[in-house]
Amino acid sequence: MNDDNQPPAGNQSARRMKIRRRRFLRTAAAAALTLSGASARSLADNRKSAQRSRKNFDVIVVGLGAIGSASLYWLSRRLGSNVLGIEQFPLGHSNGSGQDHSRSISYAYEQTSLARLAVSAFETWREVEADQHSSILQETGGLVFGEVDGIYNDSMDRLAGKLGELGLPYELWDSTEAMRRYPQFRFRDNIRSIFLPEDALVDANKGNAAHICGAVRNGARMMAETPVVDIRIVDGGIAVETDDDVFECQHLVLTAGAWSPGFLKKLGFELELSIYEVQQTYFVPDDLDRFAIGRFPRFSYKSPNILHGFPVYGEAAVKAGLSDKNLNRKIEIGERTFAVNQEAERRLNEWLDQWIPGFAKSVFYTKPCIVTRPPDSRCIADSLPDCPQISFAVGAGMAYKFASLFGKVFSQIAIDGRTDYDISSVSFSRSGLSNKQAMQNGDI
């Protein structure tokens, strides 16, 4: 007699169905726990639908990180159960780059189209907050500063001009005024700052959870812990193959981050993408009140090596990170170690001790993550060239602020064949990519 938990060897399909059902149950449970208020009825309905062997969908999303979960949410608002999301890891994992307490959102772009996208990004997050009854944005104010006699000597003036042109609120400060407003800083006389009162942080953990749970409530199908092994163009659509099944769709959203190069190669495209190990460090400050929201801003130092930081949020600690191409280790996806870069942590400590005494009294913990960048280090959100049935995004370490907006853009492209937003600055046709000939059309 066979054990009840061991189906006969000839009944492989039943075994696979049980495995798929367990995966979906874990997915639904994770979504329910991640954000309070997830509808038990919607999860139950979704579990029932998971038991049916549906293989065809209008849209499939591969990769449910920041932009992928947003795409699933916005697609599900219009397509309901006709959209499927597939994720190779458990939901809420930290293997990518979009899971943490805080990411920045700001209008501080010199490029008009990026600044306008940032305005739309604020509006889109507010729409998600209202729909999901969740507080995702936290206004902090932002201080962007640089040296007037350095390599970016005119960047503050250019940024101020662009903000003024777009009618966005800002104040231009010299070092004396900046330290009067925020005495935590120690600026030299050659520092000029722009204060952006509407700058905020985005709670990435809450944002991802809102998207996932909203998609579940809207009826979307999800499969977590399910690696995709192949993607190919077929007659009338796109086939997405997992270890157990092949699913087909009319439109694919590919948001697999550092795992994207392999999928693009299978589809006949070569995109120059570089993967870097970077890290964010949480510090115990000398005084929590001095660095609390309302008393200390989100900040960014414009220099060849960008440094940024946040007030107390998510932990009883502040957070900062240093983006230095000479320190960030370039890797292949299989080489990731999750090890702390001690030299980068030391350099960050030195800078903070000099410029913001008391901010970094001691290290609480350092969180490594990976970023995937094209040649110009700017995010991409666009349809693949000559392949409009596939939408593709890569965050480049700057895209979390745009995550929900890009999800909305991809829902419009997939359903309507166009988007209401100007995405030229994050498209494949922008000069930073085409001039370097990074994208080469293959055999599709």
Side-chain angles (χ1 to χ4, degrees):
M1 180 179 292
N2 290 305
D3 189 296
D4 290 341
N5 294 322
Q6 297 294 327
N11 194 4
Q12 296 297 322
S13 62
R15 179 181 298 153
R16 285 196 296 269
M17 179 61 73
K18 285 189 175 182
I19 291 172
R20 288 196 297 273
R21 185 171 184 272
R22 285 199 297 271
R23 284 173 178 165
F24 188 88
L25 290 173
R26 287 197 296 270
T27 299
L33 291 171
T34 304
L35 185 69
S36 61
S39 166
R41 178 183 175 188
S42 293
L43 292 171
D45 291 344
N46 213 317
R47 287 196 292 270
K48 291 177 183 177
S49 69
Q51 299 176 45
R52 296 193 291 268
S53 299
R54 180 173 179 179
K55 302 295 177 63
N56 292 284
F57 296 85
D58 290 348
V59 185
I60 295 176
V61 181
V62 173
L64 298 180
I67 301 173
S69 63
S71 299
L72 190 71
Y73 165 76
W74 284 101
L75 284 160
S76 71
R77 285 177 56 143
R78 298 176 64 185
L79 296 179
S81 62
N82 291 317
V83 58
L84 169 68
I86 306 177
E87 169 57 51
Q88 64 175 320
F89 299 112
L91 296 178
H93 67 86
S94 296
N95 295 300
S97 55
Q99 196 78 23
D100 197 4
H101 296 298
S102 55
R103 292 289 187 265
S104 65
I105 183 166
S106 174
Y107 306 136
Y109 288 103
E110 295 175 23
Q111 301 91 347
T112 300
S113 56
L114 279 176
R116 286 177 174 158
L117 281 178
V119 172
S120 297
F122 272 95
E123 296 169 350
T124 306
W125 281 117
R126 294 301 186 194
E127 189 174 349
V128 175
E129 286 183 318
D131 183 52
Q132 296 301 302
H133 303 280
S134 179
S135 178
I136 299 169
L137 298 186
Q138 176 69 56
E139 192 170 285
T140 61
L143 193 66
V144 181
F145 53 92
E147 301 175 20
V148 295
D149 52 358
I151 189 171
Y152 294 108
N153 60 343
D154 60 347
S155 63
M156 294 298 103
D157 289 332
R158 291 200 307 270
L159 178 56
K162 183 58 62 179
L163 293 168
E165 175 187 321
L166 296 174
L168 299 173
Y170 76 95
E171 297 178 36
L172 187 61
W173 297 343
D174 62 17
S175 59
T176 301
E177 180 64 13
M179 289 188 291
R180 186 184 74 82
R181 302 288 190 99
Y182 292 110
Q184 299 93 330
F185 288 97
R186 296 292 182 269
F187 286 153
R188 298 189 297 267
D189 290 341
N190 67 339
I191 293 294
R192 181 176 287 186
S193 307
I194 289 180
F195 177 67
L196 299 109
E198 296 183 0
D199 269 21
L201 64 80
V202 191
D203 190 315
N205 294 337
K206 288 184 177 181
N208 295 344
H211 286 142
I212 289 292
C213 292
V216 169
R217 274 189 288 270
N218 293 335
R221 278 280 309 274
M222 280 186 293
M223 299 176 66
E225 300 176 79
T226 306
V228 170
V229 297
D230 193 24
I231 299 174
R232 56 187 180 271
I233 306 295
V234 296
D235 289 342
I238 298 160
V240 178
E241 183 177 350
T242 69
D243 287 332
D244 301 317
D245 277 307
V246 178
F247 301 92
E248 292 191 6
C249 61
Q250 298 300 308
H251 193 97
L252 175 73
V253 176
L254 180 57
T255 49
W259 291 266
S260 296
F263 292 127
L264 291 173
K265 188 173 182 179
K266 288 177 183 292
L267 290 165
F269 286 85
E270 293 292 336
L271 173 61
E272 184 184 336
L273 292 173
S274 300
I275 305 168
Y276 294 91
E277 284 187 316
V278 301
Q279 59 192 37
Q280 308 283 320
T281 299
Y282 284 87
F283 294 96
V284 178
D286 63 358
D287 185 338
L288 285 174
D289 287 341
R290 290 182 66 225
F291 296 100
I293 291 175
R295 297 183 178 180
F296 186 77
R298 186 196 68 81
F299 66 86
S300 177
Y301 175 44
K302 276 188 84 77
S303 72
N305 302 317
I306 298 173
L307 183 139
H308 61 273
F310 295 84
V312 176
Y313 184 82
E315 307 279 5
V318 291
K319 186 178 85 168
L322 176 66
S323 180
D324 186 336
K325 291 183 179 179
N326 296 320
L327 292 176
N328 297 335
R329 190 167 75 96
K330 187 176 180 180
I331 62 167
E332 298 296 327
I333 191 57
E335 301 172 351
R336 190 178 182 191
T337 65
F338 291 89
V340 173
N341 185 325
Q342 299 293 340
E343 177 60 17
E345 189 178 276
R346 185 190 66 79
R347 289 274 300 276
L348 178 60
N349 266 281
E350 287 181 351
W351 191 97
L352 292 168
D353 286 344
Q354 177 184 351
W355 292 69
I356 319 175
F359 183 91
K361 182 177 181 180
S362 62
V363 173
F364 181 32
Y365 66 86
T366 293
K367 179 174 180 165
C369 66
I370 52 176
V371 298
T372 307
R373 295 188 176 114
D376 62 357
S377 295
R378 188 187 299 174
C379 59
I380 298 172
D382 196 6
S383 300
L384 290 183
D386 300 322
C387 192
Q389 67 269 46
I390 300 179
S391 298
F392 171 78
V394 65
M398 62 169 284
Y400 197 90
K401 64 179 71 67
F402 300 120
S404 197
L405 175 64
F406 287 169
K408 188 175 185 179
V409 165
F410 284 166
S411 73
Q412 293 176 345
I413 291 174
I415 299 169
D416 305 322
R418 58 176 298 279
T419 178
D420 297 332
Y421 299 93
D422 176 9
I423 59 171
S424 58
S425 58
V426 294
S427 70
F428 282 112
S429 61
R430 67 180 190 249
S431 60
L433 286 177
S434 60
N435 287 348
K436 294 176 182 291
Q437 296 182 335
M439 193 62 171
Q440 299 171 358
N441 196 0
D443 298 326
I444 291 181

